[in-house]
Structures are given as C-alpha cells and as structure tokens.
Amino acid sequence: MDFTEDQLQRYSRHIILPEVGGKGQRRLLGAKVFIVGAGGLGCPVGYYLAAAGVGTIGIVDGDTVELSNLQRQIAHSTKTLGMYKIDSAKATFESLNPDVKIIGIKERISKDNIFDLIKDYDVVVDGSDNFPTRYLVNDACVMAKKSLVSGAILKFEGHVTTIVPGEGHCYRCLFEEMPPPGLVPSCQEAGVIGAIPGVVGSLQAIEVVKLILGKGDVLKNILLIYDALKTTFRRIRVPKNPDCPVCGKNPTITELLDYDAGYCAVR
Amino acid sequence: MEEDIKPDKKINIKGLVCPYTFVKAKLAVEDMEVGQVLEILLDYEEASRSIPKSMEDHGQKVLKVEKINDTDWVLVIRKEKE
C-alpha cells in the first residue's frame, strides 16, 4: 500500500521513528483493536489509537453520555449528552482521523457475546469500570488467546498490565478471585481525578502500539502502578501462576462463568 | 572510488522541507534491498545535514554529500540494514 500525501503528513512523526517507519505505519493501518468501554479509559485509548491510524477500532458500551462523565471522558462533550457513548466517541474519533474505521457496539459485554465480539481483533483493551467485566474479559482473552491490555483507575491511582496468553501472567495470576461485592469502592463511590484515566489510557494505547509493531517490552508479567499523589510509578513483578484457575497447567475455569452473580450493577 | 557507484534508485525531493524530506528518503530506503544505493536530489539546506545524520542513526551508510550548484545537494546513501 502506498501512502497518500495526506497520510505522509499525518503519520510523518511515526514514519521517521526507526521502530515504526513506513512498514510499522502500514501495520498500524492494518491492525484491529477492540476496546471494552467508551468511558474514562476507552476515550483516551480510542483517541490515541485513532490518531495513530489503527485501521479498525471496535468499541462496546451500552451507556449514554451523562454530565458526570465529562470530567474525564474526553471523547464526549456537552453537545453529545444523552447520546450513546459509542456514537459520541465514533464521531470524535472519525473526525480526528478519517482513515480509521470505528465499529461501535451498543451492548453490554457479556459471556454470551464476548467471543463473537473479539474474534476478528488482534488486541483487546479493557477499559471497564467493574470487576465482573474485568474477569470476564480476562478469562475470554486467555481462552481465545488474544493479547489484552488491562487498565484500572481509582481516586489518585492507576494500574496497567499487559496479558499475552501463553507467554505471561493473566489477571487471575495476579488476583485469583474477584473481591467480594462492596469491598472495593467504585469511582462513583470514591471519586477519581479526571487526568488519571488520561495517564492510564495513554499507557494502554502505547502498549497496544508496541504489540502491533512487535517493538519494545510490554508489561508482560508486570503490574505498573501509578500513584499520582506521590508521582511515582512502581513495577511489580507478577509471575505466571502454574496453578492459575484459568491459564495454569490444570485450569478449573474452562468456560465463561456467571460473573455478575452477587454483583449489582449500580447505574 | 565510492563516488562512481551507480545508484539503484534516484529520488527528487526538491521543494520539500523537514520532516518530509526524511520521510520520503526513508520510505525510498525501506523499499530497497540491503546493499542497494539511493541518490537523493534536494534543495533544502537543513536536510543536507539532517538526512545524512538520521540515515546514520538508522544504520545506513552515507556515501556522498555534495553541493552541486547554488541551490541543490546530492546525497548518496547505501542501505546497510532493514
């Protein structure tokens, strides 16, 4: 594929990098990335991947834009209040870069649709805001052998880790079971500084770009913890657990579970 | 000796400024085989210094940098690595 003159200008800062070049930019344009959630994390991830020219971006989210989202969900705006988040995000990303195809899915992701949703994508990004979805996405990506870039945020803190099934740890190697309902507060209960998902989502977007390019070291077997109050990044080693219930030698979770049991979705 | 090397490919990037001078030069090198030689004709002075430097940073060999008249330079680059 030859670049158009517009593409040469748009992607010039990529092409001049030794790690990218024309070859890497063509890989980005041919890549397909699936994002779970068009919220705090999904907005910056989608924004930077669209800007980078990732050719196909799928996003699943069943919610509509609310005023309380706009403190951090930067793909939406006062003008898109009440719209489905995926429609609002699609309009933003496509106006940033018409090279990119945005496929929005107005549903809540579940054990019944996840395999079908992610099957055509190269990389999955978790930008969800609750434990049942986080574990659902982890288990499905391990079973489907899809690389997963997971992010989480709360208050002044963010987590990022990259799961490459068959090579490194998975989310259950790190935290085997979901915390009991009510133990860990949600952003809705505990709050979050708006720029935290910006930092974490940008880190996730860079992990995705590295996975697509096959360059650098991703956060495989590592949990990166960002503490914004102290302005520190800590890298915690997370070995693959041979007894992990989903990615271990003798997995006990071999099909998707009823992740919502016991969790009430506070909306 | 190296001055007599016949280029395998020539590009004319007169009229272009940075970073498009290097973008065009780099894409031309990417499309060539290791060992082949690229001749670049340009008229943006800064690029006569920055392209050779960037090419070397990327592992390619600069065989010639020559000002051929009041406005133009010729660079000759050999591809050393993918």
Side-chain angles (χ1 to χ4, degrees):
Chain A
M1 177 207 103
D2 282 332
F3 294 108
T4 63
E5 284 303 314
D6 279 356
Q7 287 178 320
L8 285 184
Q9 292 188 29
R10 183 183 286 271
Y11 305 120
S12 59
R13 267 59 170 184
H14 276 169
I15 293 170
I16 61 182
L17 288 168
E19 293 81 359
V20 186
K23 258 179 220 159
Q25 189 59 51
R26 286 186 195 97
R27 285 179 88 145
L28 290 167
L29 286 163
K32 297 179 170 189
V33 177
F34 190 81
I35 304 173
V36 180
L41 294 170
C43 286
V45 172
Y47 229 137
Y48 274 117
L49 294 182
V54 167
T56 306
I57 300 174
I59 314 177
V60 62
D61 199 312
D63 290 346
T64 54
V65 179
E66 296 175 18
L67 197 50
S68 65
N69 302 147
L70 301 184
Q71 162 259 19
R72 64 198 176 284
Q73 301 186 14
I74 58 171
H76 312 308
S77 79
T78 312
K79 287 183 189 151
T80 65
L81 285 172
M83 272 172 71
Y84 277 100
K85 286 186 180 176
I86 51 134
D87 290 334
S88 166
K90 182 181 161 81
T92 303
F93 301 158
E94 284 180 346
S95 71
L96 175 64
N97 189 351
D99 284 349
V100 175
K101 184 177 169 196
I102 307 290
I103 300 170
I105 301 120
K106 268 174 224 163
E107 287 174 38
R108 191 171 152 76
I109 199 163
S110 73
K111 70 182 172 71
D112 300 318
N113 63 14
I114 189 166
F115 285 127
D116 201 42
L117 289 177
I118 66 175
K119 71 176 190 302
D120 294 328
Y121 291 86
D122 307 311
V123 181
V124 177
V125 178
D126 185 9
S128 67
D129 62 354
N130 63 85
F131 287 103
T133 305
R134 187 175 307 284
Y135 280 79
L136 165 71
V137 172
N138 175 73
D139 294 356
C141 285
V142 171
M143 290 174 195
K145 297 187 167 55
K146 297 276 180 194
S147 294
L148 166 64
V149 181
S150 186
I153 52 161
L154 192 65
K155 299 184 190 176
F156 284 83
E157 189 171 306
H159 291 187
V160 192
T161 192
T162 297
I163 291 155
V164 185
E167 294 182 24
H169 78 298
C170 84
Y171 206 77
R172 284 188 191 270
C173 297
L174 183 58
F175 305 114
E176 191 168 315
E177 296 291 334
M178 281 189 255
L183 182 72
V184 178
S186 66
C187 287
Q188 208 165 333
E189 296 155 343
V192 64
I193 292 290
I196 298 282
V199 172
V200 171
S202 301
L203 287 165
Q204 286 179 287
I206 294 171
E207 289 290 289
V208 171
V209 167
K210 290 190 298 178
L211 284 168
I212 293 167
L213 296 176
K215 298 287 179 188
D217 300 315
V218 293
L219 290 167
K220 194 166 69 180
N221 294 324
I222 291 167
L223 173 68
L224 184 72
I225 300 178
Y226 170 54
D227 181 334
L229 281 177
K230 294 186 185 136
T231 321
T232 55
F233 283 92
R234 281 192 296 152
R235 289 162 62 92
I236 313 287
R237 277 202 56 80
V238 183
K240 186 171 161 63
N241 176 7
D243 300 320
C244 173
V246 68
C247 78
K249 286 195 196 94
N250 298 298
T252 52
I253 299 170
T254 53
E255 55 184 61
L256 298 176
L257 310 169
D258 184 10
Y259 296 84
D260 283 318
Y263 268 84
C264 62
V266 185
R267 292 277 147 203
Chain B
M1 296 287 272
E2 284 177 337
E3 306 241 331
D4 300 328
I5 286 175
K6 266 246 171 351
D8 297 283
K9 186 174 185 172
K10 292 184 181 187
I11 58 169
N12 178 345
I13 53 171
K14 284 174 66 161
L16 289 183
V17 298
C18 293
Y20 308 110
T21 44
F22 184 60
V23 167
K24 290 275 189 185
K26 184 178 157 80
L27 289 174
V29 169
E30 276 187 27
D31 286 339
M32 294 163 55
E33 305 293 327
V34 169
Q36 290 190 323
V37 171
L38 173 68
E39 184 183 286
I40 305 166
L41 176 64
L42 59 91
D43 61 3
Y44 186 64
E45 184 179 5
E46 193 188 324
S48 72
R49 293 185 298 271
S50 63
I51 290 180
K53 183 178 182 312
S54 298
M55 283 293 176
E56 286 186 343
D57 288 347
H58 288 224
Q60 314 307 348
K61 175 83 178 164
V62 179
L63 301 179
K64 187 165 96 175
V65 179
E66 188 183 336
K67 190 161 200 285
I68 55 167
N69 57 42
D70 285 352
T71 55
D72 301 344
W73 282 261
V74 165
L75 312 180
V76 180
I77 312 287
R78 187 171 67 217
K79 181 167 181 172
E80 299 283 307
K81 60 177 263 195
E82 284 296 339

